[in-house]
């Protein structure tokens, strides 16, 4: 197989490839259409490019039909996503996000499953101001969406501060190293003058080239034993290897990804496979070469087959490794042993080394807002005003108030209590282990509710949980409004994918540590059927489980569902 | 006007005969004559058309004109759209003349003209049509769906058989088109997720279906359907009871405003109008207010009262609802009311010399205030009724073109609500439309011609339209008309309101006209979206150079809407622009504008 000639799949380029090609390095006509006053939207072509600038056009789908009748265009608004490697934000940056959400957004912030801020509801005329104010706070939104490397995640590990800060530095370096080099963002949003005498085309994007990647590309770094970033869901997953309390390098895993399309069995979620080990100073090069393989051989004809996981599965893992080592000019080391034991968060106060404290706050659905009886947003604003440490957005949509000195801890605790901000201890472990994507009303892809509905569904499941003495049993439960899997449904022990309003496919059997995918259990069912299923499954689990056995493992042992050993047999 | 050879198509003898005859005619004779002439004219035209039609096959035999096929798609994810484009290409390749459009972009009124219709539509959710099929789906299933006896159609439905309502929307279109009289040129095909093959078979099936009817295709020319122009029997004094077809709020959620869009049926009325004309409506009073009056005065609602000089009799409640004005006070009314009350304050108020106090009192008060303020009353209900004004009609600039929407008239009505003297006051007609008038109800209407607000006769003449708020109404009619007639002149619209998101009246229609080039240019000003208030005149000023160039090119400028502030401000801005761009003095600019007005190049419909 060594001599196999590698090639990308045949077929004409997809529309997005053509748009990118025409775009003059992601410029398109964005500058002009953002000034047009007749529509709050922008044309589709420009919206495709907009993604590479960290934003895209959405509309309030709750109002879509009503407005159509009223002869009004959809309630167009932009989603804006920040690039914030490792999910670390300084208190002043938190305050800027908070202010922008109030001033230009819908008054809430979403903490995403990729450890960053997302704002919704920004009108076209406010976009430039918003991006400029984000820029002034030393953050940006470059490449937060689009066919490029996305926000680089890393374990929000408050226990081992030193290791975390080192790993965090690597996530930042990766993020910077893999950034697009075009100045389009600076010209369009920051009024940078276009430099005369544009350099040679190749120099503009030495790594990506003019077409960028065939599809998005995701990198996450996990620090065992925590797999909070779901390292196996990443296109490129890095597992930090620690020996004698020192970071000696990373195991490299490739070809993971959650997305699929309903009804197309050629699409499937996949877990990344560990292919070897590299030292920290090799990691940028490894990432770059892997990305160039996907750049060269990914499917540019059919976007739903374009993720790196399909490239890997099509070419074969070993072929990709060979190609990588060819490009590197050296071989990866042998993968090191590692152990994961969970992919959720650990709530409440913990003390790290150097005596600093970290508080993990449960944020249901990642939504920071002022609710009627829970002033979460105000509380966090007050904390940010006095906080000297940092904030860490976790991959499970929660928030760590990090690096708090013992002196400040008392003050912050007072504010936590004043606003009733919760580590979620009074909730069921099920709710604390829940995750939902945005879905309706703003996400254009959603077929069903997720963030707005999962809490309601959990209210009802909790009754069953309580009746069976499972209140403190952590069972990961995840819901996405469509099969693209922003909430990584296929790695939840109980997973739901929306099919239509009120209807979901139900998945079971994923591993608690994020190492095994789930499998479909019931198709297209509504709430009553979901509850009926759980009324059978949860009591059985309570009675029959082995010591320490997680729900995802139990359903397989009990023969309720077959294990998915590889994404390619996800549909079997 | 005297007819002469120079100013008429008649010869000397004809002109003289007509000049002798015309002055002797009574109004009704004139009306009869014009109808008579118009009708015979049409009959002749018809005869000619029929002859022409008969000649067509002979003239073109052997070289068949391409068959027209309209392909409409409703698509959520783009599959149906992609298939529609593909079907279009295939059909074009086989020599058909094809129009492909999303259901949303298709004007339902054109459906009647379609002979061959292909529908490609997906189903989503629980048997729901895709978003861009919703309004067409609703239209076709609604009361305004036309008979489609001449239509041949076929449906391709896309769906997912794991859903309960598999291909539901396609099935509905298929059944409904048949119900409306259409014939299938190929059986409906329901495709599952893996649709390519079935879709390809369907296209082939459609093509053979289309080819079968080839030789029998001789559509009658459209002119054959044109009705004779006959004077309507309805008028201001004999209003037509128009059925409400549609009544909706144009302002999105969260708006400070409520602007109703009303569609009324003129079917059977014989009423006709041109863009720029107005519609008169005879509204009813608010029943709640009428009941308050009745109970305030302890009047018997059922008591019969005379409602006019002819002595027609109606129950009191009905009289107050429909025949008399109860929301506005006038000086004569108060003077007469003073005769019916022993209240000295009232006689004092109406006494000579108290004009100023009377004016203050009249402003913002209604009949209920009067009755409450100046009792005790010693008069019968009939006596009161006799001093009230007859219910006046309300005029609204028509927002539709008759050629674009035959037998319909559309209005844009701002709902009026305000507080005055500790009570909420409601605009009589606007609130009837906003709160009580339902589709299916009728309302008395008539046409009010407005020759001073008309599109230029020359379709190439550029037009500039300034219409903030409900002032937008006639310009919607203008655009519909210009689209229908294919006028080639440039057009430029200035619109303004409070908020972009909620108050951009008819937004999607302007967007479509802009996209299609029917409307050349549009500028908008939303006064409450920015710290500094921006109005239409600011947008005009921003583009003063271009605007003046349009005027120099002979553009006709129209203003419609609020007279008090807007029209005044816009007028001044116009002077400023002409002064600046034309290097004129203020006086010269004023002359320039006056000259435009004289040449009917500056027209206003302000209120």
């Amino acid at each position: 197989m060594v001599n196999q000639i590698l090639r990308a799949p045949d077929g004409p380029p997809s529309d997005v490839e053509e748009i990118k090609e025409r775009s003059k390095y992601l410029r398109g006509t964005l500058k002009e259409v953002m000034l047009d006053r007749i529509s709050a939207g922008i044309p589709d072509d420009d919206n495709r490019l907009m993604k590479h600038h960290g934003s895209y056009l959405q509309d309030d789908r709750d109002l879509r039909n009503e407005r159509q009748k009223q002869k009004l265009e959809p309630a167009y608004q932009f989603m804006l996503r920040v690039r914030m490697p490792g999910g670390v934000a300084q208190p002043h940056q938190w305050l800027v996000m908070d202010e922008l959400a109030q001033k230009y957004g819908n008054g809430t912030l979403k903490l995403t499953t990729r450890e960053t801020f997302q704002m919704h509801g920004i009108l076209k005329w406010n976009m430039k101001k918003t991006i400029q104010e984000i820029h002034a706070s030393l953050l940006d939104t470059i490449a937060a969406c689009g066919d490029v490397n996305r926000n680089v995640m890393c374990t929000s590990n408050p226990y081992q501060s030193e290791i975390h800060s080192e790993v965090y530095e690597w996530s930042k370096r990766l993020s910077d190293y893999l950034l697009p080099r075009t100045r389009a963002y600076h010209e369009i949003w920051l009024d940078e003058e276009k430099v005369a005498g544009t350099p040679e085309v190749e120099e503009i994007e030495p790594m990506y080239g003019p077409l960028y990647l065939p599809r998005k590309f995701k990198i996450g770094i996990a620090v065992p034993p925590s797999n909070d970033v779901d390292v196996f869901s990443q296109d490129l997953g890095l597992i930090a290897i620690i020996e004698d309390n020192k970071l000696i390098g990373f195991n490299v895993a490739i070809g993971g990804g959650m997305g699929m399309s309903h009804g197309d069995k050629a699409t499937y979620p996949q877990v990344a496979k560990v292919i070897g080990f590299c030292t920290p100073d090799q990691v940028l090069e490894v990432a770059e070469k892997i990305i160039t393989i996907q750049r060269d051989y990914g499917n540019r004809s059919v976007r739903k087959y374009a993720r790196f996981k399909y490239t890997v599965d099509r070419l074969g893992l070993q072929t990709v490794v060979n190609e990588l080592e060819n490009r590197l000019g050296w071989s990866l080391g042998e993968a090191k042993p590692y152990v994961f034991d969970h992919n959720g968060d650990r709530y409440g106060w913990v003390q790290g080394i150097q005596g600093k404290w970290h508080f993990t706050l449960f944020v249901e659905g990642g939504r920071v807002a002022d609710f009627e009886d829970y002033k979460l947003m105000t509380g966090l604003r007050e904390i940010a005003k006095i906080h000297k440490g940092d904030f860490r957005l976790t991959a499970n949509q929660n928030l760590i108030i990090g690096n708090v000195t013992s002196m400040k801890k008392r003050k912050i605790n007072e504010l936590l209590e004043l606003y009733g901000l919760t580590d979620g201890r009074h909730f069921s472990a099920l709710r604390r282990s829940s995750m939902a994507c945005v879905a309706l009303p703003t996400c254009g892809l959603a077929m069903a509710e997720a963030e707005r509905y999962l809490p309601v569904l959990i209210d009802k499941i909790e009754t069953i949980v309580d009746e069976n003495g499972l209140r403190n049993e952590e069972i990961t439960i995840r819901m996405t409004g469509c099969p693209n899997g922003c909430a990584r449904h296929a790695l939840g022990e109980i997973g739901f994918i929306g099919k239509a309003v009120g209807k979901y496919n139900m998945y079971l059997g994923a591993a608690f540590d994020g190492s095994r995918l789930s499998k479909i259990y019931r198709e297209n069912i509504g709430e009553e059927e979901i509850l009926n299923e759980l009324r059978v499954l949860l009591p059985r689990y309570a009675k029959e489980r082995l010591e320490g056995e997680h729900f995802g493992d139990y359903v397989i042992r009990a023969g309720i569902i077959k294990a998915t050993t590889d994404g390619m047999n996800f549909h079997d | 006007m005297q007819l002469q050879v120079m100013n008429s198509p008649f010869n000397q003898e004809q002109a003289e005969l007509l000049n002798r005859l015309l002055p002797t005619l009574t109004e009704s004779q004139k009306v009869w004559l014009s109808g008579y002439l118009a009708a015979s004219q049409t009959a002749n035209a018809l005869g000619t058309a029929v002859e022409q039609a008969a000649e067509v096959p002979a003239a073109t035999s052997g070289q068949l004109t391409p068959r027209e096929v309209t392909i409409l798609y409703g698509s959520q994810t783009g599959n149906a759209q992609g298939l529609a484009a593909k079907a279009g290409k295939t059909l074009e390749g086989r020599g058909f003349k094809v129009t492909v459009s999303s259901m949303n972009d298709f004007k339902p009124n054109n459906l009647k003209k379609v002979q061959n219709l292909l529908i490609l539509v997906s189903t989503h959710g629980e048997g729901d049509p895709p978003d861009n099929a919703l309004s067409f789906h609703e239209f076709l299933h609604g009361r305004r769906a036309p008979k489609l006896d001449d239509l041949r159609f076929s449906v391709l439905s896309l769906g997912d058989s794991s859903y309960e309502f598999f291909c539901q929307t396609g099935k509905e279109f298929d059944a409904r088109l048949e119900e409306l009289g259409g014939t299938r040129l190929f059986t409906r095909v329901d495709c599952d997720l893996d649709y390519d093959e079935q879709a390809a078979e369907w296209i082939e099936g459609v093509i053979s279906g289309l080819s079968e009817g080839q030789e029998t295709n001789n559509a009658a020319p459209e002119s054959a359907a044109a009705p004779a122009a006959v004077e309507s029997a309805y008028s201001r004094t004999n209003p037509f009871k128009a059925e409400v077809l549609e009544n909706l709020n144009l302002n999105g959620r969260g708006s400070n405003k409520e602007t109703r869009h009303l569609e009324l049926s003129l079917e059977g009325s014989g009423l006709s109008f041109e863009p720029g004309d107005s519609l008169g409506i005879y509204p009813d009073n608010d029943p709640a207010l009428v009941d308050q009056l009745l109970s305030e005065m302890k009047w018997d609602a059922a008591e019969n009262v005379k409602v006019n000089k002819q002595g027609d009799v109606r129950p009191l409640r009905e009289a107050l609802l429909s025949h008399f004005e109860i929301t506005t006070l006038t000086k004569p009314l108060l003077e007469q009311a003073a005769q019916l009350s022993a209240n000295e304050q009232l006689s004092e108020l109406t006494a000579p010399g108290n004009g100023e106090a009377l004016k203050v009192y009249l402003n913002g008060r209604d009949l209920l205030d009067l009755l409450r303020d100046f009792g005790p009353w010693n008069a019968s209900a009939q006596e009161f009724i006799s001093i009230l004004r007859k219910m006046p009609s309300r005029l609204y600039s028509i927002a539709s073109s008759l050629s674009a929407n035959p037998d319909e008239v559309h209005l844009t009505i701002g709902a009026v609500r305000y507080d005055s003297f500790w009570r909420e006051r409601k605009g009589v007609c606007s609130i009837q439309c906003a709160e009580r008038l339902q589709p299916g109800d009728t309302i008395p209407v008539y046409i009010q011609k407005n020759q001073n607000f008309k599109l230029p006769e020359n379709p190439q003449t550029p037009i500039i339209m300034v219409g903030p708020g409900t002032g937008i109404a006639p310009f919607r009619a203008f655009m519909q008309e210009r689209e229908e007639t294919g006028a080639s002149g440039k057009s430029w619209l200035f619109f303004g309101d409070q908020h972009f998101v909620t108050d951009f009246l008819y937004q999607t229609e302007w967007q479509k006209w802009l996209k299609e080039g029917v409307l050349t240019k549009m500028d908008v000003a939303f006064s409450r979206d920015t710290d500094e208030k921006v109005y239409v005149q600011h947008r005009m000023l921003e583009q003063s150079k271009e605007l003046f160039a349009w005027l120099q090119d002979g553009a006709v400028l129209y203003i419609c809407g609020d007279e008090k502030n807007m029209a005044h401000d816009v007028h001044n801005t116009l002077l400023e622009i002409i002064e600046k761009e034309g290097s004129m003095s203020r006086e010269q600019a004023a002359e320039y504008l006056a000259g435009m007005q004289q040449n009917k190049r500056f027209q206003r419909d302000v209120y």
Side-chain angles (χ1 to χ4, degrees), chain B residues 591-602:
Chain B
E591 266 173 48
Y592 185 95
L593 206 53
M596 278 181 60
Q597 211 147 9
Q598 239 161 20
N599 298 325
K600 296 206 154 213
R601 284 186 46 224
F602 179 41

Side-chain angles (χ1 to χ4, degrees), chain A residues 143-364:
Chain A
C145 330
D147 297 340
V148 283
N149 175 52
R150 303 286 188 86
N151 195 45
V152 178
M153 302 166 73
C154 83
T155 292
S156 323
N157 191 335
Y159 306 95
Q160 300 153 287
S161 306
E162 269 174 19
I163 296 293
H164 177 272
S165 65
E166 204 180 340
V167 171
Y168 165 63
E169 285 304 321
W170 282 111
S171 68
K172 247 174 40 175
R173 260 174 249 169
L174 276 165
S175 178
D176 291 340
Y177 187 71
L178 302 174
L179 263 189
R181 300 284 174 238
T182 173
R183 301 303 290 174
Y185 182 88
H186 305 79
E187 287 165 21
I188 295 168
W189 310 109
L190 307 176
D191 294 326
E192 180 182 279
E193 291 292 325
K194 202 168 179 177
V195 185
T198 314
E200 287 301 304
V201 164
E202 276 69 26
E203 281 173 42
I204 295 180
E205 292 293 4
M207 179 181 73
Y208 286 117
L211 296 175
Y212 297 83
L213 297 181
R215 200 74 168 75
K216 59 187 165 192
F217 193 91
K218 297 178 174 179
I219 300 179
I221 313 178
V223 184
S226 171
N227 186 19
D228 57 349
V229 300
D230 271 328
V231 75
F232 302 112
S233 72
Q234 314 283 344
D235 293 278
L236 169 57
L238 298 168
I239 301 164
I241 302 298
I242 298 150
E243 279 179 10
D244 301 330
N245 219 20
K246 274 211 165 68
L247 178 73
I248 61 159
F250 302 95
N251 276 357
V252 179
I254 61 169
M258 290 292 100
M260 61 174 209
S261 307
H262 278 318
D264 184 349
K265 292 195 173 174
T267 67
Y268 48 84
Q270 181 60 289
V271 283
K273 315 291 189 309
V274 176
I275 58 168
F277 172 85
C278 71
T279 59
D281 59 351
Q282 295 172 328
V283 77
L284 297 182
E285 198 185 354
V286 168
E288 178 185 345
K289 298 303 181 219
I290 289 172
I291 286 175
T292 61
I293 293 174
Q294 163 68 349
R295 176 197 66 194
D296 296 341
Y297 303 123
N299 189 328
R300 289 185 185 267
S301 187
V302 184
R303 282 183 70 77
K304 63 179 177 176
Y305 304 147
R307 283 290 294 275
F308 186 46
K309 60 183 173 181
Y310 302 119
T311 312
V312 172
D313 290 347
R314 177 167 44 81
L315 299 176
L317 188 64
Q318 193 52 50
T319 314
V320 174
V321 173
N322 293 344
E323 176 66 15
L324 172 63
E325 292 182 344
N326 269 342
R327 291 186 183 210
L328 286 169
W330 49 269
S331 297
L332 294 173
E334 198 172 318
K336 311 268 181 191
Y338 62 90
V339 176
F340 287 128
D341 63 13
H342 63 279
N343 63 358
D345 288 336
R346 296 285 173 264
Y347 296 98
W349 282 110
V350 293
Q351 191 168 25
I353 45 186
Q354 296 171 329
K356 296 281 182 68
W357 290 87
H358 314 281
F359 182 85
T360 303
L361 179 75
F362 171 64
V363 182
E364 188 159 25

Side-chain angles (χ1 to χ4, degrees), chain B residues 141-159:
Chain B
H141 288 79
R143 67 171 79 208
R144 258 187 286 171
K147 288 303 279 175
L148 298 171
D149 292 330
D150 298 330
L151 181 80
R152 302 196 309 152
F153 71 94
S154 183
V155 176
L156 180 75
S157 24
L158 299 185

Side-chain angles (χ1 to χ4, degrees), chain B residues 156-354:
Chain B
L156 180 75
S157 24
L158 299 185
D160 175 346
S161 58
S162 74
Y163 289 81
E164 187 183 349
F165 299 101
F166 174 56
C167 286
Q168 179 69 17
T169 305
K171 290 173 186 167
E172 284 168 9
F173 274 118
D174 189 50
R176 181 61 176 163
L177 286 170
E178 181 179 39
E179 205 173 288
L180 293 170
T183 26
R184 275 186 203 86
L185 47 84
F186 191 69
T187 329
R188 185 188 77 243
V189 172
D190 296 336
C191 300
D192 209 345
L193 291 167
D194 183 18
Y195 54 74
D196 296 285
E197 242 171 65
Q198 280 175 293
E201 284 167 16
W202 176 78
I203 292 174
E204 282 312 312
V206 162
I207 288 172
S208 59
L210 280 167
S211 311
E212 271 167 29
Q214 189 93 11
E215 59 286 348
T216 59
N217 173 44
N218 275 320
E222 271 171 40
S223 58
V230 180
E231 188 80 5
S232 170
Y234 298 99
S235 65
R236 198 170 96 84
T237 47
N238 180 25
F240 173 71
K241 291 213 162 144
E243 185 189 345
V244 179
L245 298 170
E246 176 87 86
N247 180 355
L248 56 89
N249 181 9
L250 293 171
N251 296 97
R253 280 194 212 184
S255 174
N256 301 323
K257 294 190 156 187
E258 179 177 350
T259 312
R260 306 304 301 190
H261 172 73
L262 227 62
E263 298 184 1
L264 306 175
S265 169
L266 294 180
E267 202 177 339
S269 70
L271 288 172
S272 74
F273 59 87
E274 289 174 354
D277 291 342
S278 295
L279 189 80
I281 296 186
Y282 286 102
D284 279 346
N285 284 310
D286 181 1
L289 184 62
V290 169
D291 290 339
Q292 272 181 296
L293 281 173
L294 291 171
S295 81
E296 176 72 28
M297 300 302 286
K298 301 191 173 58
W299 282 334
D300 174 8
E303 178 190 338
N304 276 332
V305 290
K306 276 192 287 185
V307 294
N308 54 24
K309 283 185 202 138
Q310 292 77 41
D312 289 336
V313 165
R314 294 282 182 283
L316 178 59
R317 188 168 185 274
E318 190 195 320
L320 286 170
L321 271 178
S322 311
H323 294 263
F324 297 100
E325 181 181 64
I326 61 171
T327 47
T328 308
L329 297 179
T330 63
K331 191 173 167 217
L333 173 63
L334 259 71
E335 285 165 354
Q336 294 178 68
Q339 308 297 315
L340 308 177
S341 167
N343 191 309
E344 281 176 16
Q345 280 173 297
L346 180 57
S347 22
E348 197 173 313
L349 189 65
T350 51
N354 281 346

Side-chain angles (χ1 to χ4, degrees), chain B residues 509-528:
Chain B
E509 297 186 358
W510 308 120
Q511 290 176 340
K512 192 159 166 280
W513 279 320
L514 277 168
K515 200 170 132 194
E516 292 165 355
V518 176
L519 179 61
T520 316
K521 204 167 148 58
M522 180 166 188
D523 282 282
V524 290
F526 292 96
S527 59
R528 302 206 185 166

